[in-house]
């Protein structure tokens, strides 16, 4: 169907229609593509007569056939007509999907596919054929469209269809006409009160300018800028409009703005912003999309799932409790608030699992809460000292689906867990707390209840007044807080809740709105249940995957060595020394370094896990037992820091030693050169005489290196004094002692007793 637009004098063809919108293709505009209007706006334009059905006689001059509803602007040559028909025949199958031709993205994707089928087809010919196809009412027509003249000025209602450049020129022309008349005299308005005439205040920005369709087209361009640039005030945009549209350019400096009485006023600019922009766009432009999603839009979430069965959908959420804790030490140090993870049934509100720790709000804490879901709650409470159980908490198992925030799963952590158990994770969009109102309201209730009977209104007032969270005085340890929280959870799950409307079957059976009663009824009569799983396999599936190396020292993970019996039996550690290391996948517990598990098979669908223990044969690893990875890695990093610090402190001394080495090496080289100069020889002679020279040097240096040399002083050397023999000093001859007699006498005179340590004798 062809429509005639009276404001622009152009023809529009309806090419697509559904209950919400209508798409129209302008006829005879070479650079125009189809536009979309809402169904309501389309009906209004038809009813008001601004768009009318085009009726023309079936004649070659008009190019319109009323019987077939085909408009053929035949202004091309015969060759162009034939080329268009041939191209249409080639692309007939490509144009079979009309919806893909309605958007620029769809046309781009279609062009990429068509290019593969028809490599010789040019991009320009393709888009000409698409426009020809749409203009002809999804029928082949001429490639060349007819050229029409400029559009006439639109009326007030059709301002969004006006050309921006033409609208700016028309608006400037009207303002210049008012400027040429000169400044008018504005009289202060009068009003009567109690029969007396009084002068009212004059308008702040009086103006003679009257807003029309062209002015609104200019306004909307600046309104669009405000939507793109969040936080830009309207007065700033108004001043920009005055500088860019209502001003006279100057060769130097800023343009000269025209007076306020001949241009649109700020009040009118703000007025049309309010009536032309809907509530959502105004809030998003002022505060941003994030703030609008969290605090300014309607809450349309549902607190229960579509199935309304216990165990069908669970909710996992975390919070940092505003209750400071103290340590277990005698000095009771302040350790800050705990991090709490809760898993609850979405339909009944029953608590399924709980985790309280000092770890960061990460998937590790979520995994601890999931593990607690299938643990025996009686044993769990006895470990905390909550015994006997006054009220039951006999829930064990996993729901079929968990609604979580992105921060709890990081989107990829639970893959092995999902494959093993079939429990799917549904990541909620950011800032959509209304999609899980149950778990959010539970947090508020627990925070207020554990604030020692402080009213919730008082807490909110305090936070609003001081701009900070409500905090208690630190008094409890982590275990004491966990015990208190579990007691409060037991009270909450057995207390009927106000404002909950139950189904007719529950009311008939006398079920209250307490979460525990609703959960038990759903399990008995409502088809609800929880998944029962292998505890060991689930625990391992929740642990993170790390890369390990098979080395000659064992299974090495982050620098620590582990023993693995299957790898040792297969001589993998010995082979790693000869053929090189290889990488394997293991799962580790971030809270304990004592054990890791080697994954056999696919990392995300393992066939089995092989336990590997910390190798205690390494002395440096014995002190790591019972510690967390965080603590061990910090010890290793601290050692590296100490080494770097020592290296930096000793660098000057090391440089001095290096300088001394270079000095001695130079002295030795100089001595060698001097010796070769004083005693000329050749290399062959030096090699031949090496053995004799070595023996000679050995005899000279070995006595100084003797092991017993420090035990006794070296014998003294006495020079002989020659005295001539005369008759006076002549004595009787004595018998000359032998060499052995003289040696024995000297040893006896010089011998000293040496004590031997007892342990050597033993």
């Amino acid at each position: 169907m062809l429509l005639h637009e009276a404001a622009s004098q152009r023809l529009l063809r309806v090419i697509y229609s559904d209950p919400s919108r209508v798409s129209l293709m302008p006829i005879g505009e070479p650079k125009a593509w189809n536009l979309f209007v809402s169904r309501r706006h389309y009906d209004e334009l038809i009813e008001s007569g601004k768009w009318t059905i085009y009726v023309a006689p079936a004649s070659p001059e008009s190019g319109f056939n009323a019987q077939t509803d085909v408009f053929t602007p035949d202004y091309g040559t015969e060759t162009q007509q034939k080329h268009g028909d041939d191209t249409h025949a080639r692309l007939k199958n490509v144009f079979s999907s009309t919806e893909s031709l309605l958007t620029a993205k769809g046309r781009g994707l279609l062009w990429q596919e068509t290019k593969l089928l028809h490599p010789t087809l040019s991009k320009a010919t393709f888009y000409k054929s698409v426009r020809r196809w749409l203009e002809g009412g999804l029928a082949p027509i001429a490639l060349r469209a007819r050229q029409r003249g400029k559009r006439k000025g639109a009326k007030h209602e059709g301002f969004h269809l006006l050309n921006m450049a033409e609208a700016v020129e028309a608006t400037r022309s009207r303002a210049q006409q008012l400027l040429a008349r000169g400044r008018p005299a504005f009289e202060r308005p009068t009003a009567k009160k109690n029969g007396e005439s009084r002068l009212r205040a004059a308008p702040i920005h009086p103006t003679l300018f009257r807003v029309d369709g062209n002015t609104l087209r200019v306004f909307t361009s600046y309104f669009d800028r405000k939507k793109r640039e969040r936080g830009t005030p309207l007065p700033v945009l108004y001043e920009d409009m005055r500088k860019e549209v209502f001003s006279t350019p100057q060769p130097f400096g800023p343009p000269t703005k025209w007076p306020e009485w001949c241009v649109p006023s700020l009040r009118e600019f703000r007025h049309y912003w309010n009536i032309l922009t809907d509530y959502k766009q105004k809030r998003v432009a002022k505060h941003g999309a994030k703030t609008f999603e969290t605090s300014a839009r309607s809450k349309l979430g549902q607190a229960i799932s579509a199935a309304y069965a216990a165990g069908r959908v669970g909710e996992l959420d975390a919070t940092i409790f505003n209750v400071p804790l103290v340590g277990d030490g005698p000095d009771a140090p302040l350790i800050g608030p705990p991090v709490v993870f809760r898993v609850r049934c979405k339909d009944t509100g029953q608590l399924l699992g709980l985790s309280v720790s000092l770890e960061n709000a990460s998937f590790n804490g979520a995994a601890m809460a999931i593990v607690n879901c299938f643990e025996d709650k009686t044993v769990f409470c006895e470990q905390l000292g909550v015994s006997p159980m006054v009220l039951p908490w006999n829930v064990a198992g996993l729901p079929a689906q968990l609604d979580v925030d992105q921060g709890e799963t990081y989107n990829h952590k639970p893959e092995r867990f999902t494959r093993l158990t079939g429990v799917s994770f549904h990541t909620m969009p950011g800032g959509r707390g209304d999609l899980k109102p149950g778990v959010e309201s539970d947090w508020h209730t627990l925070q207020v209840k554990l604030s020692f009977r402080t009213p919730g209104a008082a807490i909110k007032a305090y936070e609003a007044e001081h701009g900070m969270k409500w905090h208690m005085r630190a008094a409890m340890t982590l275990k004491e807080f966990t015990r208190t929280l579990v007691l409060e959870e037991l009270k909450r799950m057995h207390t009927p809740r106000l404002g909950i409307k139950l189904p007719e079957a529950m009311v008939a059976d006398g079920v209250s709105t307490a979460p525990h009663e609703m959960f038990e009824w759903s399990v008995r009569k409502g088809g609800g249940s929880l998944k029962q799983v292998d505890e060991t396999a689930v625990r391992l599936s929740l642990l993170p995957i790390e890369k390990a190396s098979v080395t000659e020292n064992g299974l090495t993970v982050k620098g620590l060595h582990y023993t693995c019996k299957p790898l040792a039996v297969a001589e993998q550690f010995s082979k790693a020394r000869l053929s090189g290391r290889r990488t394997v996948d293991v799962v580790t517990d971030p809270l304990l370094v004592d054990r890791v598990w080697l994954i056999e098979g696919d990392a995300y669908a393992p066939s089995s896990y092989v336990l590997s223990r910390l190798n205690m044969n390494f002395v440096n690893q014995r002190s790591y037992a019972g510690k967390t990875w965080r603590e061990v890695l910090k010890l290793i990093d601290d050692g590296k820091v100490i080494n770097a610090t020592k290296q930096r402190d000793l660098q000057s001394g090391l440089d001095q030693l290096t300088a001394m080495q270079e000095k001695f090496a130079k002295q030795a080289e100089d001595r060698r050169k001097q010796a070769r100069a004083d005693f000329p020889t050749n290399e062959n002679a030096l090699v031949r005489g090496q053995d004799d020279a070595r023996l000679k040097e050995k005899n000279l240096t070995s006595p100084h290196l003797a092991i017993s040399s420090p035990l006794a002083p070296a014998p003294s050397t006495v020079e002989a004094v020659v005295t001539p023999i005369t008759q006076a000093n002549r004595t009787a001859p004595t018998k000359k002692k032998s060499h052995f007699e003289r040696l024995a006498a000297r040893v006896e005179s010089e011998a000293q007793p040496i004590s031997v340590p007892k342990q050597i004798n033993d």
Side-chain angles (χ1 to χ4, degrees):
M1 180 174 63
L2 275 177
L3 300 178
H4 179 261
E5 187 178 50
S8 60
Q9 295 296 320
R10 64 174 178 174
L11 297 178
L12 302 172
R13 176 178 294 283
V14 179
I15 58 176
Y16 178 78
S17 177
D18 61 26
S20 61
R21 61 178 183 172
V22 178
S23 180
L24 303 101
M25 181 67 186
I27 302 297
E29 298 183 17
K31 296 184 179 180
W33 286 101
N34 59 299
L35 54 95
F36 288 93
V37 296
S38 66
R39 170 63 67 175
R40 183 180 63 180
H41 186 56
Y42 172 80
D43 294 339
E44 291 176 355
L45 293 175
I46 293 296
E47 293 176 0
S48 61
K50 293 166 184 172
W51 284 357
T52 58
I53 298 177
Y54 181 74
V55 179
S59 62
E61 292 77 10
S62 65
F64 177 73
N65 190 334
Q67 297 178 354
T68 60
D69 192 27
V70 174
F71 183 81
T72 308
D74 187 8
Y75 293 95
T77 63
E78 183 179 354
T79 304
Q80 290 174 333
Q81 289 288 337
K82 185 176 184 305
H83 176 62
D85 295 338
D86 294 342
T87 305
H88 171 73
R90 293 171 61 190
L91 304 180
K92 185 176 182 180
N93 295 331
V94 177
F95 296 156
S96 59
S97 177
T98 305
E99 295 185 8
S100 61
L101 303 174
L102 300 182
T103 61
K105 181 177 180 181
R107 291 188 290 268
L109 295 176
L110 191 60
W111 158 242
Q112 297 296 332
E113 298 175 0
T114 307
K115 185 169 59 174
L116 300 176
L117 299 175
H118 305 282
T120 59
L121 182 67
S122 67
K123 188 175 182 179
T125 302
F126 171 79
Y127 278 99
K128 284 182 179 179
S129 300
V130 174
R131 180 178 283 108
R132 178 177 187 260
W133 175 251
L134 296 178
E135 281 188 347
L138 310 183
I141 58 173
L143 271 177
R144 182 182 176 185
R146 59 176 178 175
Q147 304 293 332
R148 306 184 69 89
K150 293 183 179 180
R151 290 178 294 177
K152 298 180 180 179
K155 295 183 179 180
H156 188 280
E157 293 78 3
F159 67 90
H160 58 282
L161 301 175
L162 297 176
N163 181 272
M164 178 61 186
E166 296 177 359
V168 170
E169 187 63 29
T171 305
R172 285 175 55 87
S173 177
R174 293 189 62 227
Q176 288 175 341
Q177 293 176 4
L178 296 176
L179 181 62
R181 299 178 186 177
R183 179 181 177 85
F186 292 97
E187 298 182 358
R188 295 177 61 183
T190 60
K192 287 187 177 182
K193 185 176 182 180
N194 298 328
E196 298 180 0
S197 297
R198 295 186 178 184
L199 291 176
R200 300 182 61 185
I204 300 177
H205 299 299
T207 180
L208 297 178
F209 193 93
R210 294 295 176 262
V211 176
D212 61 353
N214 292 308
T215 310
L216 291 181
R217 181 66 183 90
V218 176
F219 282 0
T220 54
S221 66
Y222 289 90
F223 295 161
D224 294 339
R225 184 189 302 181
K226 180 174 177 59
K227 297 173 185 177
R228 295 191 303 267
E229 303 172 2
R230 180 174 64 88
T232 305
L234 282 174
V236 174
L237 293 175
Y238 175 75
E239 292 299 325
D240 291 344
M241 182 183 67
R242 289 192 60 189
K243 293 177 183 178
E244 297 170 3
V245 180
F246 303 101
S247 63
T248 303
Q250 300 296 330
F252 302 100
T256 302
K257 294 188 293 185
W258 297 343
E260 296 176 346
W261 48 268
C262 65
V263 300
S265 65
L266 175 61
R267 181 178 179 181
E268 293 174 325
F269 189 75
R270 196 189 306 273
H271 168 71
Y272 283 104
W273 160 259
N274 291 328
I275 64 175
L276 296 178
T277 310
D278 60 18
Y279 172 78
K280 178 180 179 180
Q281 291 177 333
K282 286 188 286 189
R283 300 297 297 182
V284 170
K286 183 175 182 180
H287 303 288
K290 179 68 175 179
T291 304
F292 176 81
E293 287 294 324
T294 55
S295 61
R297 53 163 175 74
S298 58
K299 293 184 177 181
L300 303 175
Q302 175 60 267
I304 60 175
S305 67
Y308 198 75
R312 173 64 183 86
V313 181
E315 294 176 318
L316 172 63
D317 201 11
T319 191
I320 300 176
F321 247 81
N322 55 357
V323 179
L325 304 180
V326 297
D328 286 327
D331 55 344
L334 186 66
I335 60 175
V339 179
V340 181
F341 279 82
R342 297 176 74 251
V343 181
R344 72 188 290 272
C345 175
K346 183 172 185 177
D347 295 330
T348 63
Q350 171 65 32
L351 181 67
L352 305 179
L354 183 70
S355 167
V356 183
S357 67
L358 300 177
E359 300 292 327
N360 296 332
S362 61
F363 182 70
N364 191 37
M368 290 189 288
I370 293 173
V371 168
N372 185 248
C373 289
F374 51 76
E375 289 181 334
D376 189 346
K377 301 303 187 297
T378 303
V379 177
F380 172 70
C381 292
E382 289 178 354
Q383 294 175 351
L384 296 174
V386 181
S387 180
M389 294 284 290
V390 179
L391 297 174
W393 186 14
N394 48 356
V395 175
L398 295 173
Q401 174 183 313
L402 281 174
D403 291 346
V404 297
D405 295 329
Q406 185 177 357
E408 278 86 23
T409 62
Y410 295 101
N411 290 334
H412 67 281
K413 300 265 185 174
E415 185 171 345
R416 288 182 298 122
F417 171 77
T418 300
R419 290 189 179 186
L420 176 65
T421 62
V423 177
S424 61
F425 283 76
H426 177 61
T427 303
M428 310 299 290
R432 293 301 305 271
D434 60 306
L435 296 180
K436 46 188 180 68
V439 68
E440 299 294 345
S441 63
D442 286 353
W443 286 129
H444 176 70
T445 302
L446 293 171
Q447 294 268 17
V448 173
K449 293 294 184 181
L450 292 181
S451 296
F452 291 114
R453 299 176 182 174
T454 304
I459 295 177
K460 286 187 175 181
Y462 175 87
E463 293 178 348
E465 179 180 357
H466 296 84
M468 62 179 65
K469 280 290 186 180
W470 172 272
H471 289 286
M472 295 168 44
R473 180 173 297 176
M476 292 185 290
T477 64
L478 181 64
K479 185 175 182 180
E480 291 170 345
F481 171 79
T482 306
R483 183 189 305 134
T484 306
L485 179 61
V486 168
L487 292 174
E488 186 61 39
E489 289 282 7
L490 288 172
K491 291 163 55 180
R492 191 198 64 82
M493 70 178 66
H494 289 278
T495 302
R497 295 169 294 173
L498 302 177
I500 302 296
K501 299 178 178 61
L502 297 179
E504 181 180 358
M506 284 189 178
V507 177
D509 291 345
V511 178
S512 70
T513 57
H516 191 73
E517 286 194 38
M518 294 175 61
F519 182 85
E520 286 194 338
W521 184 92
S522 180
V523 171
R524 293 195 316 268
K525 297 184 178 181
S529 64
L530 295 175
K531 287 179 175 287
Q532 304 303 315
V533 295
D534 182 4
E535 181 176 347
T536 302
V538 172
R539 287 178 181 271
L540 292 175
S541 68
L542 291 170
L543 296 178
I545 297 178
E546 301 288 349
K547 292 294 182 180
S549 299
V550 179
T551 68
E552 61 274 14
N553 296 322
L555 190 62
T556 304
V557 184
K558 297 181 181 179
L560 301 187
H561 307 303
Y562 292 81
T563 61
C564 184
K565 188 175 181 180
L567 294 179
V569 171
E571 298 292 339
Q572 293 295 323
F573 302 138
S574 302
K575 294 178 181 178
R577 190 170 186 178
L578 298 176
S579 59
R581 303 178 176 183
R582 64 186 182 92
T583 304
V584 295
D585 294 316
V586 297
V587 293
T588 62
D589 191 340
L591 305 184
L592 191 62
V593 301
D594 294 1
R595 297 174 296 272
V596 299
W597 285 265
L598 175 66
I599 298 178
E600 292 187 343
D602 185 4
Y604 292 96
S607 58
S608 62
Y609 297 88
V610 179
L611 175 63
S612 302
R613 300 182 183 275
L614 189 66
N615 193 343
M616 294 302 176
N617 293 330
F618 292 91
V619 179
N620 62 318
Q621 294 190 166
R622 295 176 183 175
S623 60
Y624 296 161
K627 289 183 170 59
T628 64
W629 280 99
R630 176 177 55 249
E631 188 176 1
V632 171
L633 294 179
K634 186 178 185 304
L635 290 174
I636 296 175
D637 291 340
D638 290 345
K640 295 179 181 179
V641 172
I642 293 173
N643 290 338
T645 304
K646 295 292 185 181
Q647 178 75 17
R648 185 174 61 253
D649 296 341
L650 297 174
Q651 191 61 43
S652 60
L654 297 176
D655 294 341
Q656 292 180 8
L657 296 178
T658 303
M660 293 174 65
Q661 286 178 325
E662 295 175 352
K663 176 183 176 182
F664 293 151
K666 187 176 184 304
Q667 291 177 354
E669 182 65 21
D670 294 343
R671 178 181 174 279
R672 187 190 67 81
K673 291 180 180 180
Q674 185 64 34
R676 296 293 178 266
D678 296 342
F679 302 94
T681 183
N682 55 49
E683 291 295 330
N684 293 333
L686 290 174
V687 172
R688 288 194 299 269
Q690 180 177 349
D691 294 339
D692 295 338
R694 181 180 179 87
L695 181 60
K696 182 180 178 180
E697 193 69 22
K698 187 189 302 183
N699 293 334
L700 291 175
T701 57
S702 295
H704 300 287
L705 303 176
I707 298 174
S708 62
S709 60
L711 304 181
S716 60
T717 303
V718 180
E719 296 182 359
V721 180
V722 180
T723 305
I725 300 176
T726 62
Q727 187 66 29
N729 60 15
R730 183 182 296 276
T731 59
T734 58
K735 185 180 179 180
K736 186 177 181 180
K737 293 182 180 181
S738 66
H739 171 71
F740 294 103
E741 290 175 343
R742 293 195 303 271
L743 182 60
R746 190 180 70 180
V747 172
E748 184 178 358
S749 64
E750 294 179 356
Q752 298 291 337
I754 299 176
S755 61
V756 179
K758 183 178 180 181
Q759 60 269 27
I760 295 179
N761 293 335
D762 295 340

